[in-house]
């Protein structure tokens, strides 16, 4: 098979959030390199495109139910890939992972209830809790010998006040694939304090070949999992996601909220989930993609460590997001943003929305062709030299 990452798509001019959003949302000029939002510049697996083309040719685009075949596809995928036994009737459709998390919070907690997160974490985790008028309890991750770990004392303190814990597994932005031991302690604490665990596993299928994702639902039968083939197969714009909720009474409450919000799949969502999760060609493609991502990530980290030694990077164990500490560069987060856009000509995801500790950080998306990443590093090297940030 040819390299997947080297055959990038030209996304500029396709109304892509990542590329065209720079001008439309932030009024930045064309030469700024977009290494931010979490999708990648490649075509999805050819077998998925084929299935969607055949669905398009059918001409049948009426209101659509979440199909039994799609529910079974999720069940077979979790069984095969993660050793988790999923009853297909426990799988609900969701029009995105963030909407799924939001609907679960609305269904299973009340205004004013506590919800725990672990910052730095994907910004919508903060926003969906506060936006739903629940109280946010942060149990920040800690850095131990250059690696992010859970702070179990902080987690237990936060759980004392909370009804729910939103776990990001693998974690965006720090890239940790939580070990079975770590997840067992999470389960133990949540059970002790009667806290519902909701696990966002959207990056799980991009776990690098040298690591192993543990589906936390294996350790506790009541965990609710929210996921999608969207990151693994780069089909985020299809909004084809799902919720696995084994507990019947909770499922009924979630369905009630979903009905209120008119959650229904597009006619392409079933097709995409089935094609991604049941066609062996898609699985082989994914195997190659994760191998290439791990190699590309290692190469980029090496370049940064050699040529930009003032930056500290946290080596991810999954996906394509690299969390970079810029604290040695003497600029505030606002000044750094301006410097990156106006002088370096680079658009990264600023760390501040990930939580207070993210102020000194930027998140770089390495899911594009190598030349663009090399260009980004060269721009950073030349501007750090020019500004004497060395
Ligand atoms: C951890 C995590 N959850 C959810 C999402 C977004 O999911 P969706 O677009 O399906 O709402 C992302 C996207 O970057 C993510 O990183």
């Amino acid at each position: 098979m040819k390299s997947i990452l080297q055959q990038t798509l030209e996304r500029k001019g396709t109304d892509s959030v990542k590329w065209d959003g720079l001008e439309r949302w932030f009024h930045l000029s064309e030469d700024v390199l977009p290494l931010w939002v979490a999708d990648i510049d490649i075509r999805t697996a050819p077998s998925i495109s084929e299935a969607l083309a055949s669905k398009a040719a059918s001409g049948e685009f009426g209101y659509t139910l979440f199909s039994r075949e799609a529910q079974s596809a999720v069940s077979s995928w979790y069984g095969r890939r993660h050793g988790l036994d999923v009853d297909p009737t426990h799988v609900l459709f969701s029009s995105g992972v963030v909407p799924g998390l939001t609907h679960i919070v609305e269904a299973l907690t009340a205004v004013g209830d506590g919800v725990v997160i672990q910052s730095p974490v994907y910004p919508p985790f903060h926003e969906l809790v506060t936006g739903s008028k629940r109280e946010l309890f942060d149990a920040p991750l800690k850095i131990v010998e250059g690696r992010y770990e859970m702070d179990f004392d902080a987690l237990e303190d936060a759980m004392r006040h909370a009804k729910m814990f939103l776990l990001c597994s693998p974690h965006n932005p720090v890239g940790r694939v939580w070990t079975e031991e770590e997840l067992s302690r999470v389960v133990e604490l949540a059970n002790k304090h009667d806290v519902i665990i909701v696990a966002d596993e959207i990056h799980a299928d991009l776990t690098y070949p040298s690591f192993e994702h543990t589906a936390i639902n294996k350790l506790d039968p009541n965990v609710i999992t929210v996921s999608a083939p969207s990151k693994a197969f780069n089909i985020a714009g299809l909004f084809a996601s799902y919720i696995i909720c084994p507990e019947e009474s909770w499922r009924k409450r979630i369905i009630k909220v979903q009905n209120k919000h008119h959650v229904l799949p597009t006619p392409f969502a079933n097709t995409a989930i089935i094609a991604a999760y049941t066609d062996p060609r898609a699985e082989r493609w994914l195997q190659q993609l994760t191998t290439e991502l791990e190699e590309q990530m290692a190469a980029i980290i090496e370049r940064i460590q050699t040529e930009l030694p003032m930056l500290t990077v946290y080596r991810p164990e999954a996906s394509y997001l690299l969390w970079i500490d810029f604290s040695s560069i003497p600029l505030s987060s606002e000044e750094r943003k301006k410097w990156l856009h106006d002088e370096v000509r680079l658009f990264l995801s600023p760390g501040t929305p990930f939580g207070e500790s993210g102020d000194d950080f930027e998140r770089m998306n390495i899911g594009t062709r190598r030349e663009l990443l090399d260009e980004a590093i060269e721009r950073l090297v030349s501007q750090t030299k020019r500004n004497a940030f060395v």
Side-chain angles (χ1 to χ4, degrees), residues 28-331:
L28 295 174
S29 69
E30 288 224 322
D31 63 330
V32 175
L33 285 181
L35 302 181
W36 63 301
V37 71
D39 67 15
I40 62 182
D41 298 330
I42 58 159
R43 280 190 178 79
T44 189
S47 53
I48 296 179
S49 297
E50 271 171 35
L52 290 168
S54 146
K55 177 68 189 168
S58 78
E60 200 285 287
F61 307 128
Y63 291 122
T64 303
L65 298 167
F66 191 35
S67 74
R68 297 213 169 90
E69 207 185 336
Q71 289 176 304
S72 297
V74 172
S75 165
S76 74
W77 181 261
Y78 257 91
R80 204 164 67 249
R81 302 277 304 190
H82 304 300
L84 177 70
D85 207 7
V86 175
D87 179 331
T89 65
H90 296 174
V91 186
L92 307 177
F93 174 74
S94 181
S95 48
V97 165
V98 172
L101 297 170
T102 312
H103 295 156
I104 293 167
V105 167
E106 186 179 335
L108 304 182
T109 65
V111 168
D113 280 348
V115 179
V116 181
I117 61 165
Q118 291 172 305
S119 74
V121 71
Y122 181 53
F125 275 43
H126 304 249
E127 293 148 13
L128 74 91
V129 173
T130 53
S132 309
K133 300 195 167 50
R134 272 58 172 176
E135 196 174 349
L136 189 73
F137 286 91
D138 190 7
L141 301 175
K142 57 183 184 182
I143 299 170
V144 181
E145 291 168 12
R147 182 179 193 238
Y148 277 91
E149 290 188 359
M150 293 194 188
D151 181 337
F152 290 105
D153 293 332
L155 188 58
E156 177 155 26
D157 277 348
M159 280 186 177
R160 283 183 222 284
H161 309 282
K163 285 262 165 57
M164 186 174 276
F165 169 45
L166 301 182
L167 170 74
C168 195
S169 177
H171 193 93
N172 170 9
V174 310
R176 277 297 318 281
V177 170
W178 304 116
T179 62
E180 189 167 332
E181 288 78 49
E182 288 169 313
L183 295 174
S184 300
R185 283 196 70 187
V186 168
V187 165
E188 197 184 299
L189 293 178
N191 287 338
K192 182 170 161 195
H193 296 287
D194 207 12
V195 168
I196 300 170
I197 300 173
V198 180
D200 173 342
E201 297 193 349
I202 196 170
H203 292 280
D205 293 309
L206 289 174
T207 297
Y208 296 157
S210 36
F211 294 87
E212 193 177 346
H213 169 75
T214 302
I216 187 172
N217 192 196
K218 276 198 329 201
L219 309 176
D220 177 345
N222 285 328
V223 165
I224 303 174
T225 307
V226 190
S227 195
S230 52
K231 300 291 168 199
F233 295 96
N234 205 36
I235 51 173
L238 290 174
F239 292 98
S241 312
Y242 53 85
I243 296 168
I244 304 171
C245 181
E247 166 55 42
E248 189 182 0
S249 62
W250 292 351
R251 216 163 49 240
K252 285 189 173 149
R253 282 157 69 184
I254 296 168
I255 291 171
K256 214 166 148 190
V257 171
Q258 288 191 319
N259 289 342
K260 187 175 108 185
H261 293 289
H262 271 246
V263 175
L264 275 180
T266 70
F268 292 106
N270 287 325
T271 310
I273 290 174
I274 295 163
Y277 283 176
T278 62
D279 190 324
R281 291 175 296 171
E283 206 163 339
R284 283 198 294 276
W285 179 93
L286 178 60
Q287 182 66 31
Q288 186 183 333
L289 176 64
T290 45
T291 304
E292 286 186 28
L293 283 174
E294 183 171 22
E295 284 166 10
Q296 180 140 296
M297 184 60 87
I300 294 308
I301 288 178
E302 199 182 323
R303 271 203 77 175
I304 292 177
Q305 286 175 332
T306 315
E307 296 172 53
L308 293 157
M310 73 295 275
L311 304 182
T312 305
V313 293
Y314 291 87
R315 188 177 292 274
E317 298 162 353
S319 212
Y320 41 76
L321 304 170
L322 180 61
W323 190 233
I324 309 176
D325 183 347
F326 277 73
S327 57
S328 67
I329 297 215
L331 297 174

